[in-house]
Amino acid sequence: MTATPSATQHTVVYTVRVEFGDCDPARIVWFPNFFRWIDAASRHFFVECGVPPWHETEQTRGIIGTPLVDTHARFVKTASYGDTLQIHIHVAEWREKSFVQRYQVKRGNADGTSDLIMECDEVRIFAMRREDGKGIRALPIPADIKAMCS
Amino acid sequence: MTATPSATQHTVVYTVRVEFGDCDPARIVWFPNFFRWIDAASRHFFVECGVPPWHETEQTRGIIGTPLVDTHARFVKTASYGDTLQIHIHVAEWREKSFVQRYQVKRGNADGTSDLIMECDEVRIFAMRREDGKGIRALPIPADIKAMCS
Amino acid sequence: MTATPSATQHTVVYTVRVEFGDCDPARIVWFPNFFRWIDAASRHFFVECGVPPWHETEQTRGIIGTPLVDTHARFVKTASYGDTLQIHIHVAEWREKSFVQRYQVKRGNADGTSDLIMECDEVRIFAMRREDGKGIRALPIPADIKAMCS
Amino acid sequence: MTATPSATQHTVVYTVRVEFGDCDPARIVWFPNFFRWIDAASRHFFVECGVPPWHETEQTRGIIGTPLVDTHARFVKTASYGDTLQIHIHVAEWREKSFVQRYQVKRGNADGTSDLIMECDEVRIFAMRREDGKGIRALPIPADIKAMCS
């Protein structure tokens, strides 16, 4: 098995309303909230691709979820309450035992264009519990899930 | 066993620093954050009273924690980042199968006085899992824990 | 002007998806998150009733928002991630200088019925800044906003 | 002025208690909470170095804060409630109009060693409001603040 660096075209969009309480005294989104939304978007991506929920895959094949290993985010424009944001999600790269999930957070304008607010690349793994009960370990990327998400 | 409405004198103080991100565009603490701190203060009260952590009591006697049934809060003054708050916690009332945990959130002044920021009364129970596996149920107040916390 | 304790019939529904990160190690919604959603629901109620956003009313008539004075919540059933919740909001009572905003958080079942998850009564005021620049004060309930929300 | 890539030795430590509500159904810290703590740690670094609070520097010299441009985090070990974490903060690089603030989140062990939980590099700027009132712009790194923080 080799790494598969080519980008997939399967993109899911997750919509977020920015609320008053998501913003800080500078009247803009307090940045940890973007990661809150991105984590939800990550799960929705798999649900939308038809992957069963993790509590089900844990029973059927030991996959307990996709823990985060590394995240890299770039903040381009600010957002504030009243804004509606679209998070575009796809898998940018399948590696042997990890994958890169890419997010673009956009805000649509009245004229049909959209502004890029932030973008983020995450490295995640498919995890199962270790046989000795101590922690978790990364699985090789499951071929069927990769096919559903590509 | 009868309800015991008399107030206990055992009070624990839990200290909180208010951070920039705890505040909203009105530059004051966004109120759900008070409940975040109060939940932490509730647990610290029991730890300070010498009650073992819930994951330990779950093993030894089935008590999984003290879920919240009802909460009533009154907001008196605002707080903002840079403030240090003291949460004074005690059990105001022991009932047969529930108890009232009372919180006063204060901010000390330079002259030694303090301002009341908010106060909150919570009704909580000692919970164990139901024998049929469906949800939880309230236990009679454990006499030893009551003694430790009074 | 006298207090008007009769309940209004104008109800707005605000929908919330419960995410993984909203839940605690007991696998249920960590309760401060309910207040996060309720605060958002409060603002949506006014928006849905046609009241301009507060940054606009601040310019036109000095109303900066509806700060919370008192909240009382009762937790009935637990919710977890994957659930979709409907928050039903109405004004239960108009007083002279405050009002009671009432929330019922429900989860719909497959058979068309719904479960009550929690309910909450909040006392809020319409606030403007004090003339001396020190803090805020409560306004008499604005008749036009009351009419829009009743 | 040229970029100054050499690492500073001035390190500040910010301590965090992990609470129950900071953890998710996997019983570990839900990762957006690390960014919440890191943002607080960033501000504490400047306070500990003797830099006046931003609301003061805004009055005296127009500096409104240090907005985040880019963040890159690596998650090494998990943490859970009951843990106390130490966030070690220093400026790893001073550039012309931005700087790299580096964080190492550690958990001390009973034997005096410590485990690395996560580490994070942030690119931040010193910001002032634009003269035309539209948004903010980056200032050249202030020499006095750089001296205080190095």
Side-chain angles (χ1 to χ4, degrees):
Chain A
M1 181 182 276
T2 59
T4 310
S6 65
T8 170
Q9 296 306 313
H10 195 144
T11 295
V12 166
V13 179
Y14 178 73
T15 299
V16 169
R17 289 170 299 204
V18 181
E19 301 293 354
F20 180 81
D22 298 324
C23 299
D24 64 23
R27 294 187 164 264
I28 58 175
V29 172
W30 189 47
F31 82 85
N33 287 316
F34 283 111
F35 292 103
R36 189 156 65 76
W37 299 326
I38 278 176
D39 191 57
S42 177
R43 283 197 346 113
H44 276 263
F45 174 81
F46 290 106
V47 170
E48 291 293 316
C49 289
V51 179
W54 307 130
H55 62 83
E56 211 173 301
T57 57
E58 182 173 4
Q59 302 301 322
T60 55
R61 53 199 290 191
I63 299 173
I64 60 172
T66 57
L68 184 61
V69 173
D70 184 291
T71 187
H72 189 171
R74 195 166 66 90
F75 299 89
V76 181
K77 279 180 183 285
T78 62
S80 190
Y81 58 102
D83 287 348
T84 299
L85 304 179
Q86 292 80 37
I87 306 183
H88 296 250
I89 313 135
H90 72 281
V91 175
E93 186 182 341
W94 295 100
R95 299 170 180 171
E96 197 169 337
K97 286 195 164 185
S98 66
F99 61 99
V100 178
Q101 205 165 9
R102 181 165 293 166
Y103 307 86
Q104 290 193 298
V105 182
K106 297 178 181 179
R107 179 181 51 214
N109 297 317
D111 64 3
T113 62
S114 70
D115 286 325
L116 179 63
I117 303 299
M118 66 95 80
E119 53 189 1
C120 182
D121 267 19
E122 288 183 338
V123 179
R124 290 180 178 258
I125 59 170
F126 288 92
M128 68 178 301
R129 298 192 196 286
R130 293 174 67 93
E131 285 75 3
D132 60 8
K134 292 177 182 162
I136 59 174
R137 63 182 183 82
L139 289 169
I141 296 296
D144 59 333
I145 294 182
K146 177 177 164 182
M148 295 171 93
C149 299
S150 298
Chain B
M1 182 181 276
T2 58
T4 309
S6 66
T8 172
Q9 296 306 313
H10 196 144
T11 296
V12 167
V13 179
Y14 177 74
T15 299
V16 169
R17 290 170 298 205
V18 182
E19 302 291 355
F20 180 81
D22 298 324
C23 298
D24 64 23
R27 294 186 164 264
I28 59 176
V29 172
W30 189 48
F31 83 85
N33 288 316
F34 282 110
F35 292 104
R36 189 156 65 76
W37 298 326
I38 278 176
D39 192 57
S42 177
R43 283 198 345 114
H44 277 262
F45 174 81
F46 290 106
V47 169
E48 291 292 315
C49 290
V51 179
W54 306 131
H55 62 83
E56 210 174 300
T57 57
E58 182 172 5
Q59 303 301 322
T60 54
R61 52 200 290 188
I63 299 173
I64 60 171
T66 56
L68 184 62
V69 174
D70 184 292
T71 188
H72 189 170
R74 194 166 66 89
F75 299 89
V76 180
K77 280 181 182 284
T78 61
S80 191
Y81 58 102
D83 288 347
T84 299
L85 305 179
Q86 291 80 37
I87 306 185
H88 297 249
I89 313 135
H90 72 281
V91 175
E93 186 181 340
W94 295 100
R95 298 171 179 170
E96 199 169 336
K97 287 196 165 186
S98 66
F99 62 98
V100 178
Q101 205 166 10
R102 181 165 294 165
Y103 308 84
Q104 289 194 299
V105 182
K106 297 178 181 178
R107 180 181 51 213
N109 297 317
D111 64 2
T113 62
S114 70
D115 287 325
L116 180 64
I117 303 299
M118 67 94 80
E119 54 189 0
C120 181
D121 268 19
E122 288 183 338
V123 180
R124 288 181 178 257
I125 59 170
F126 288 92
M128 67 177 302
R129 298 192 196 286
R130 294 175 65 94
E131 285 75 4
D132 60 8
K134 292 177 182 162
I136 60 174
R137 64 183 181 81
L139 288 169
I141 297 297
D144 59 333
I145 293 182
K146 177 178 165 183
M148 296 172 91
C149 300
S150 298
Chain C
M1 181 182 276
T2 59
T4 309
S6 66
T8 171
Q9 297 305 314
H10 195 144
T11 296
V12 166
V13 179
Y14 178 75
T15 300
V16 169
R17 290 169 300 205
V18 182
E19 301 292 354
F20 181 80
D22 298 324
C23 298
D24 64 24
R27 293 187 165 263
I28 58 176
V29 173
W30 189 47
F31 82 85
N33 288 317
F34 283 111
F35 291 104
R36 189 156 66 77
W37 298 326
I38 278 176
D39 191 58
S42 176
R43 280 195 352 110
H44 276 263
F45 175 81
F46 290 106
V47 169
E48 290 293 315
C49 289
V51 179
W54 305 131
H55 62 81
E56 209 173 302
T57 57
E58 182 174 3
Q59 302 302 322
T60 55
R61 52 199 289 190
I63 300 173
I64 60 171
T66 57
L68 185 62
V69 172
D70 184 293
T71 187
H72 190 172
R74 194 165 67 89
F75 299 89
V76 180
K77 281 180 182 283
T78 61
S80 191
Y81 58 101
D83 286 348
T84 298
L85 305 179
Q86 291 80 36
I87 307 184
H88 297 248
I89 313 136
H90 73 282
V91 175
E93 187 182 339
W94 295 99
R95 298 170 181 172
E96 198 170 336
K97 286 197 164 182
S98 66
F99 61 99
V100 178
Q101 206 166 8
R102 181 165 293 166
Y103 308 85
Q104 290 193 299
V105 181
K106 298 179 180 177
R107 180 181 50 214
N109 298 317
D111 64 2
T113 62
S114 70
D115 287 325
L116 180 63
I117 303 299
M118 66 94 79
E119 55 189 359
C120 181
D121 268 17
E122 287 184 338
V123 180
R124 289 182 178 255
I125 59 170
F126 287 93
M128 67 177 300
R129 298 192 196 286
R130 293 174 67 92
E131 285 75 4
D132 61 7
K134 292 178 181 159
I136 59 173
R137 63 183 183 79
L139 288 170
I141 297 296
D144 59 332
I145 295 183
K146 178 177 163 183
M148 295 171 92
C149 299
S150 296
Chain D
M1 181 182 276
T2 59
T4 309
S6 66
T8 172
Q9 296 306 314
H10 195 144
T11 295
V12 167
V13 179
Y14 177 75
T15 299
V16 168
R17 291 170 299 206
V18 181
E19 302 292 353
F20 181 81
D22 298 324
C23 299
D24 63 24
R27 294 187 165 262
I28 59 175
V29 172
W30 189 48
F31 82 85
N33 288 316
F34 283 110
F35 291 104
R36 188 156 67 74
W37 299 326
I38 278 176
D39 191 57
S42 176
R43 281 196 351 111
H44 277 262
F45 174 81
F46 290 106
V47 169
E48 291 293 315
C49 289
V51 179
W54 305 131
H55 62 82
E56 210 173 301
T57 56
E58 182 173 3
Q59 301 302 321
T60 55
R61 52 200 289 189
I63 299 173
I64 60 171
T66 56
L68 184 61
V69 173
D70 185 291
T71 188
H72 189 171
R74 194 166 66 90
F75 300 89
V76 181
K77 280 181 182 284
T78 61
S80 190
Y81 58 101
D83 287 347
T84 299
L85 305 179
Q86 290 80 36
I87 307 184
H88 297 249
I89 313 134
H90 73 281
V91 175
E93 185 182 339
W94 295 100
R95 299 171 180 172
E96 198 169 338
K97 286 196 165 184
S98 66
F99 61 98
V100 178
Q101 205 166 9
R102 181 165 294 164
Y103 308 85
Q104 290 193 299
V105 182
K106 298 179 179 177
R107 180 181 50 214
N109 297 318
D111 64 2
T113 62
S114 70
D115 287 326
L116 180 64
I117 302 300
M118 67 94 82
E119 53 189 1
C120 181
D121 268 18
E122 287 183 338
V123 180
R124 288 182 179 255
I125 59 169
F126 288 92
M128 66 177 301
R129 297 192 196 287
R130 294 175 65 92
E131 285 74 6
D132 61 7
K134 291 179 184 159
I136 59 174
R137 64 182 183 82
L139 287 170
I141 297 296
D144 59 332
I145 295 182
K146 178 178 164 183
M148 296 172 91
C149 299
S150 296

